[in-house]
Amino acid sequence: MREKAPGGSRIGLVMESIRRRIAGRSLAHEEKLPSIRATAKTMGLSPSTVAEAYERLGAEGLIRSRPGSGFYVVGSLPLALREVAPRIDRAVDPFWVSRQSLDGGAETIRPGCGWLPTEWMPDAAIRRAVRSLAKAEGALLADYGPSRGSLRLRNLLARQFADEGLRIGADEILLASSGTQAIDLICRLLLQPGDTVLLDDPCYFNFRALMRAHRVDIVGVPRTKDGPNLAAFETALKVHRPRIYVTNSAIHNPTGSLLSPQVAHRVLKLAAHHDLTIVEDDIFSDFEPEPSPRLAVLDGLERTVRIGSVSKTLSASVRCGYIAAKAGWIEELVDLQVATNFGGPSPMAAEIVAHVLSDGSYRRHVAALRTRLAKRRREATTLLASLNIEPWIEPVGGFYLWSRLPDGINAADMARAALADNVVLAPGNVFSAGQTATEWMRFNVAQMADPRLPDLLRKALTSATTNDNGSNAER
Amino acid sequence: MREKAPGGSRIGLVMESIRRRIAGRSLAHEEKLPSIRATAKTMGLSPSTVAEAYERLGAEGLIRSRPGSGFYVVGSLPLALREVAPRIDRAVDPFWVSRQSLDGGAETIRPGCGWLPTEWMPDAAIRRAVRSLAKAEGALLADYGPSRGSLRLRNLLARQFADEGLRIGADEILLASSGTQAIDLICRLLLQPGDTVLLDDPCYFNFRALMRAHRVDIVGVPRTKDGPNLAAFETALKVHRPRIYVTNSAIHNPTGSLLSPQVAHRVLKLAAHHDLTIVEDDIFSDFEPEPSPRLAVLDGLERTVRIGSVSKTLSASVRCGYIAAKAGWIEELVDLQVATNFGGPSPMAAEIVAHVLSDGSYRRHVAALRTRLAKRRREATTLLASLNIEPWIEPVGGFYLWSRLPDGINAADMARAALADNVVLAPGNVFSAGQTATEWMRFNVAQMADPRLPDLLRKALTSATTNDNGSNAER
């Protein structure tokens, strides 16, 4: 983490401006900086202020002077994924929610996070699986395991898919360390820097972060209650010729919406016509009471890749996801996964997952989660209504309520205010490529039981209302 | 491996009996199972035992209940009954050795692979750690864990580094899913497509594969017995301006050579002068009887990044590596790891590793490995001498012998011939960016105890001698 600009605010201003240009790559590695005189003129500051700022940036190792020639960018990290700032002042960018949620202390309340509370997970079944692991063959505990990952788990997944109408073999499945890593591998296979990727707007914020890591351009398609807006989708395909479209069909993150059969069919037709590959992240599908239309199922993996993981209903600690794709692609993905990670998830992890999935109690656990969440969604809706916050839809499952704040409230301001009280929120624009969700917030109903929360939310709302010049989402 | 029947042998008995009947087709596709009551009577068990067994078979997807009607066999799937066989016609490229080694069957002999046999690993200590994990806090089993990875393990690593003279804090360490993934993250931070990377020639073949995945150019620097050839190193820096140099200092892969203090010092001076970052992969360092010079230690992480993992001495299955780098870079790497994998290794894996590393027996295990390997290196040298194959040096530790084949033998041809007999070898050019190691082979002395091996190697040599138009390394 970089420190705040030292010294006077004018010097700091110059430093910050140069840092941003380097981070945003408007100043590249080895590129010459504007002269001290030129910068002074542009910024309306004295040359000695700019000279001091350059000097300090030099001391930080960000730029270097070449005698008789000027200042040059050095050691620039080509991949600046975010603006750097101390924790609480951190820019509200796609990393904001993840980092605050992951690293917050035990006392943190996390209506913004993307997972269930620990005590909702199938603790007894996981412990049974770990105890059984302690008695596994030595090879499973010590060796790398097969390059596609545990055959036992892949067979279990294939059976699960068959229940949903997707009949594929275990060879069309590759285990990955997480759903995210699964998508990352697909991106490595299909994308080149400068390509365009289609995302829902809003979409899971980490899709945006991941695409930044791949240096690709993002085009957002507005999400309707039935899936992507088809007119916008078609226009985007025609105008931007994206290589892939990454989406959740079943219980979309953050909105909780589903895909209607008509939209699903139309999306696939358009994809075929424009040679688009669809990456369907099915991570929330277990929360559905009834399976809704899935692109991968309709399409039979023709131009769809199915992604998933067990992080939301079984364990996030175990780190195990999967990719289902046509066999030829899987073969390529195996090589890529060997090159970049020398394999996939831990064979121990895969064994734990397979054990829990085969455990008779697991289906009951998931059914109980659905019932419990339905109750929590109702309770949270009531709480939010008392704050004049209104969910967009009433989702059929899952733990998110994508909600509109009272008029004039900037979600990023509210999130910053809440963070001061150890409440992590998920402000709308971290989900929005087009920054169109300034007044929206994603709430995780499973993380809203703390009796202090209503007052803390009210306080954050008030604070955001009075903060009239602080709209700084993703500054 | 199929699990032992979970919970109670009687339930397992019922499950096994149904499984057999389905496998043997005495229960066909879509056929109705005997009722719970009937099975209970036949097997002399209680109905509740049979009900639980049916429930679990249902969770496995083998049978399905139709409300009001009973249980039915689910349609059979195109299941892969065994792993895909290694593809014998595959090009001998940097992926060749990994894929053949990972996916070969139990009967494969693997002098070409990069790990120790299962029974050399600290089985008892791993099982103790797994049993202890079964009693861990619920959060450790269910949640994502902190973004840098287990603090307990990072503290242990920091202490280990301090013993070697590298004094850093736990915040300068980031856990990763593997040593390979650690280097991959660094590449993502520091490289852009089209950049140039310096590698030793020969070097670990997967470095070459990884650099392909990053679309960067590779320049190879010939490896001498004391480290990189300095003249070639300096020329490469001047001519190609590489961004990073990826290397092993301690027990270099594949040669087993060390870095002399003079070469180490000179490499760092040249790196500083040409603004080069060094990625030092320390994965084999535990095999050294005495620590040899390390760039990261001499340099104090100024322009060096240290990488490692526990795959070679503790467990490859656990999937846990690390990056030690200056704090500012770690901060960037955390974001990158969240974006691309939503975190690092499984917190469960980190706990297992921390437990074994703290286990009093672990140091004795590593010391015993060194003694055992010294003996195996002598034995393998004798065997190779009988085939007119000569190791380049006598390494001070580790399991590799980088060896020259008899005149005129193409290593790729020999490797192909051996694979037909289920022997995986590691031919020289997979390690060589310049394809200068046509007549070299890397042997893993720990994988050469099979009494059939001498004859099989002799046969492969003969076959490679007579095959005069088959030189097709990396076709």
Side-chain angles (χ1 to χ4, degrees):
Chain A
M1 190 157 57
R2 184 169 291 149
E3 77 278 33
K4 278 206 136 170
S9 60
R10 273 169 308 183
I11 296 170
L13 220 73
V14 180
M15 293 175 72
E16 198 45 41
S17 134
I18 300 293
R19 275 199 198 108
R20 272 172 204 233
R21 293 185 57 190
I22 293 173
R25 293 194 245 176
S26 81
L27 272 171
H29 181 52
E30 297 297 350
E31 187 174 334
K32 191 176 174 185
L33 266 70
S35 70
I36 289 174
R37 192 174 298 269
T39 300
K41 202 169 166 197
T42 315
M43 298 189 71
L45 298 167
S46 76
S48 69
T49 300
V50 176
E52 177 64 22
Y54 279 22
E55 183 76 30
R56 290 186 191 178
L57 289 169
E60 282 187 10
L62 213 67
I63 63 174
R64 143 186 319 168
S65 111
R66 291 193 191 146
S69 163
F71 286 84
Y72 289 79
V73 177
V74 291
S76 80
L77 305 175
L79 199 60
L81 288 167
R82 60 173 179 80
E83 309 272 340
V84 270
R87 181 183 176 265
I88 205 152
D89 306 336
R90 222 187 130 116
V92 180
D93 65 13
F95 292 98
W96 195 86
V97 180
S98 328
R99 293 291 297 273
Q100 309 293 5
S101 303
L102 289 170
D103 293 331
E107 71 295 345
T108 308
I109 310 175
R110 296 177 171 80
C113 87
W115 52 87
L116 295 175
T118 311
E119 58 279 11
W120 288 45
M121 300 305 256
D123 188 76
I126 300 171
R127 285 178 204 277
R128 275 197 298 277
V130 174
R131 283 196 299 271
S132 152
L133 179 66
K135 294 174 215 149
E137 278 179 39
L140 200 140
L141 299 174
D143 296 349
Y144 285 98
S147 62
R148 279 175 170 72
S150 155
L151 179 60
R152 180 187 174 200
L153 179 52
R154 287 184 289 125
N155 276 332
L156 278 168
L157 291 171
R159 278 172 207 265
Q160 229 177 62
F161 299 161
D163 283 349
E164 300 169 21
L166 180 65
R167 299 178 70 81
I168 60 172
D171 277 358
E172 290 159 280
I173 301 175
L174 171 67
L175 300 188
S177 305
S178 62
T180 304
Q181 191 240 342
I183 303 176
D184 181 48
L185 270 183
I186 301 281
C187 290
R188 295 182 109 140
L189 182 69
L190 299 179
L191 300 180
Q192 312 203 52
D195 279 353
T196 298
V197 168
L198 226 56
L199 297 176
D200 296 310
D201 190 345
C203 71
Y204 173 38
F205 51 78
N206 208 47
F207 290 167
R208 296 181 57 213
L210 180 58
M211 295 312 148
R212 284 197 196 179
H214 283 275
R215 307 164 200 266
V216 294
D217 297 329
I218 295 171
V219 171
V221 174
R223 181 87 187 180
T224 75
K225 289 167 189 179
D226 293 323
N229 176 306
L230 284 174
F233 189 79
E234 183 165 12
T235 305
L237 293 187
K238 280 185 184 148
V239 175
H240 301 289
R241 311 199 63 75
R243 190 90 180 81
I244 63 174
Y245 168 45
V246 185
T247 188
N248 320 105
S249 302
I251 312 195
H252 171 257
N253 181 1
T255 66
S257 63
L258 308 178
L259 205 55
S260 77
Q262 299 76 32
V263 172
H265 176 67
R266 188 81 189 125
V267 162
L268 284 174
K269 265 186 81 173
L270 287 167
H273 190 256
H274 294 273
D275 197 18
L276 173 80
T277 297
I278 298 172
V279 179
E280 186 173 49
D281 178 4
D282 237 352
I283 192 160
F284 294 104
S285 58
D286 275 355
F287 291 109
E288 287 191 314
E290 311 273 319
S292 63
R294 307 288 164 75
L295 298 170
V297 175
L298 285 172
D299 174 59
L301 302 185
E302 192 60 48
R303 54 178 54 261
T304 317
V305 175
R306 179 181 174 151
I307 299 292
S309 98
V310 299
S311 297
K312 303 306 176 191
T313 52
L314 196 160
S315 162
S317 168
V318 78
R319 311 308 291 139
C320 190
Y322 66 81
I323 303 172
K326 47 189 158 193
W329 285 15
I330 292 289
E331 188 70 18
E332 303 275 343
L333 291 165
V334 168
D335 276 352
L336 259 174
Q337 191 164 246
V338 166
T340 58
N341 193 24
F342 211 76
S346 160
M348 297 195 210
E351 187 66 14
I352 292 172
V353 172
H355 196 282
V356 176
L357 290 183
S358 317
D359 188 313
S361 70
Y362 184 69
R363 289 199 174 195
R364 288 194 297 277
H365 157 71
V366 173
L369 280 185
R370 286 195 288 259
T371 309
R372 197 170 177 185
L373 280 169
K375 182 161 172 282
R376 287 298 178 89
R377 287 197 302 275
R378 288 192 298 275
E379 291 167 0
T381 302
T382 307
L383 162 59
L384 294 175
S386 78
L387 299 166
N388 201 17
I389 298 173
E390 195 188 0
W392 188 48
I393 58 168
E394 192 180 306
V396 299
F399 41 80
Y400 295 135
L401 291 178
W402 177 246
S403 307
R404 187 177 193 96
L405 300 180
D407 277 352
I409 299 290
N410 179 305
D413 291 342
M414 181 177 172
R416 279 173 199 285
L419 192 60
D421 287 322
N422 258 323
V423 176
V424 175
L425 295 178
N429 275 347
V430 306
F431 303 90
S432 171
Q435 300 292 287
T436 57
T438 308
E439 299 185 1
W440 293 80
M441 190 79 86
R442 185 192 75 181
F443 289 95
N444 177 340
V445 301
Q447 302 276 3
M448 294 175 73
D450 192 300
R452 294 167 300 172
L453 189 62
D455 282 348
L456 291 172
L457 288 178
R458 191 165 290 114
K459 185 177 159 200
L461 267 176
T462 311
S463 165
T465 312
T466 54
N467 179 4
D468 45 10
N469 64 349
S471 7
N472 44 14
E474 281 209 49
R475 60 177 182 194
Chain B
M1 187 187 72
R2 174 167 294 149
E3 82 283 28
K4 284 211 143 166
S9 58
R10 275 170 306 184
I11 296 171
L13 220 71
V14 181
M15 292 174 72
E16 198 45 42
S17 135
I18 302 292
R19 274 199 199 106
R20 269 169 211 237
R21 293 183 59 189
I22 294 173
R25 316 232 180 156
S26 82
L27 272 171
H29 176 55
E30 295 298 350
E31 187 174 338
K32 190 176 175 187
L33 265 69
S35 71
I36 289 173
R37 193 174 299 268
T39 300
K41 203 170 165 194
T42 317
M43 298 188 72
L45 298 167
S46 77
S48 69
T49 301
V50 176
E52 178 65 23
Y54 279 21
E55 176 83 8
R56 290 187 191 179
L57 289 168
E60 283 187 8
L62 216 64
I63 64 175
R64 142 185 320 165
S65 110
R66 290 193 194 145
S69 164
F71 287 85
Y72 289 78
V73 177
V74 168
S76 67
L77 275 169
L79 287 185
L81 295 174
R82 55 181 206 85
E83 278 303 328
V84 191
R87 283 171 47 199
I88 206 150
D89 57 341
R90 227 188 129 105
V92 180
D93 65 12
F95 292 99
W96 195 85
V97 179
S98 328
R99 293 292 296 275
Q100 308 293 5
S101 305
L102 289 170
D103 292 331
E107 72 295 345
T108 308
I109 310 175
R110 297 177 170 82
C113 88
W115 52 88
L116 295 174
T118 311
E119 58 278 12
W120 289 45
M121 301 303 257
D123 187 76
I126 300 171
R127 285 178 204 277
R128 275 197 298 277
V130 174
R131 283 195 299 271
S132 150
L133 179 66
K135 294 173 217 150
E137 274 180 42
L140 200 138
L141 300 174
D143 296 350
Y144 285 98
S147 63
R148 278 176 171 72
S150 154
L151 182 59
R152 181 184 173 201
L153 180 52
R154 287 186 287 125
N155 279 330
L156 276 169
L157 291 171
R159 229 170 288 156
Q160 227 178 63
F161 299 161
D163 285 349
E164 302 168 20
L166 179 65
R167 302 181 71 80
I168 60 172
D171 275 0
E172 288 160 281
I173 300 175
L174 171 65
L175 299 188
S177 306
S178 61
T180 303
Q181 192 240 342
I183 303 176
D184 180 50
L185 270 183
I186 301 283
C187 290
R188 296 182 109 141
L189 182 69
L190 298 180
L191 300 181
Q192 316 202 48
D195 278 355
T196 297
V197 168
L198 226 55
L199 297 176
D200 297 310
D201 189 345
C203 71
Y204 173 39
F205 52 78
N206 208 45
F207 290 167
R208 295 181 56 214
L210 180 59
M211 294 313 148
R212 284 195 194 177
H214 283 275
R215 305 164 204 263
V216 295
D217 297 328
I218 294 172
V219 171
V221 175
R223 183 83 186 184
T224 76
K225 290 167 188 179
D226 294 323
N229 176 306
L230 285 174
F233 189 80
E234 185 166 10
T235 304
L237 293 188
K238 280 184 184 150
V239 175
H240 302 287
R241 310 195 64 75
R243 193 88 177 87
I244 64 173
Y245 168 46
V246 184
T247 188
N248 319 105
S249 302
I251 314 196
H252 172 256
N253 181 0
T255 67
S257 64
L258 308 178
L259 206 54
S260 78
Q262 298 77 34
V263 172
H265 177 66
R266 189 79 188 126
V267 163
L268 284 174
K269 265 185 81 172
L270 286 167
H273 191 254
H274 293 274
D275 197 19
L276 174 80
T277 296
I278 297 172
V279 179
E280 188 173 48
D281 178 5
D282 238 352
I283 192 161
F284 294 103
S285 57
D286 275 355
F287 291 108
E288 286 192 314
E290 312 271 319
S292 62
R294 307 286 165 75
L295 298 169
V297 175
L298 285 171
D299 174 59
L301 302 186
E302 191 60 47
R303 55 178 52 258
T304 317
V305 175
R306 180 182 174 152
I307 298 294
S309 98
V310 298
S311 298
K312 302 306 175 190
T313 53
L314 197 159
S315 162
S317 168
V318 77
R319 311 308 291 142
C320 189
Y322 65 81
I323 303 171
K326 45 189 160 193
W329 284 15
I330 293 288
E331 187 70 17
E332 300 278 345
L333 290 167
V334 168
D335 276 351
L336 259 174
Q337 193 165 245
V338 167
T340 58
N341 192 24
F342 212 77
S346 159
M348 298 194 209
E351 188 66 14
I352 291 173
V353 171
H355 195 279
V356 177
L357 290 182
S358 319
D359 188 312
S361 70
Y362 185 69
R363 289 200 173 197
R364 289 195 300 279
H365 158 72
V366 173
L369 280 186
R370 286 194 288 258
T371 309
R372 196 171 180 185
L373 281 170
K375 182 160 171 284
R376 287 296 179 93
R377 287 197 302 275
R378 286 193 300 275
E379 291 166 0
T381 303
T382 306
L383 162 59
L384 294 176
S386 78
L387 299 167
N388 201 19
I389 298 173
E390 195 187 0
W392 189 47
I393 58 167
E394 192 180 307
V396 300
F399 42 81
Y400 295 136
L401 292 179
W402 178 244
S403 307
R404 186 175 192 99
L405 300 180
D407 277 352
I409 301 288
N410 178 305
D413 291 341
M414 181 178 172
R416 277 175 200 285
L419 192 59
D421 287 323
N422 258 323
V423 176
V424 174
L425 296 178
N429 274 348
V430 306
F431 303 91
S432 171
Q435 298 293 286
T436 58
T438 308
E439 299 185 1
W440 292 80
M441 191 78 87
R442 185 191 75 180
F443 289 97
N444 177 341
V445 302
Q447 302 277 3
M448 294 175 74
D450 193 299
R452 294 167 298 171
L453 188 62
D455 283 347
L456 292 172
L457 288 178
R458 190 165 291 115
K459 185 179 161 200
L461 267 176
T462 309
S463 164
T465 311
T466 54
N467 178 4
D468 45 10
N469 66 348
S471 1
N472 44 13
E474 281 207 54
R475 62 177 179 191

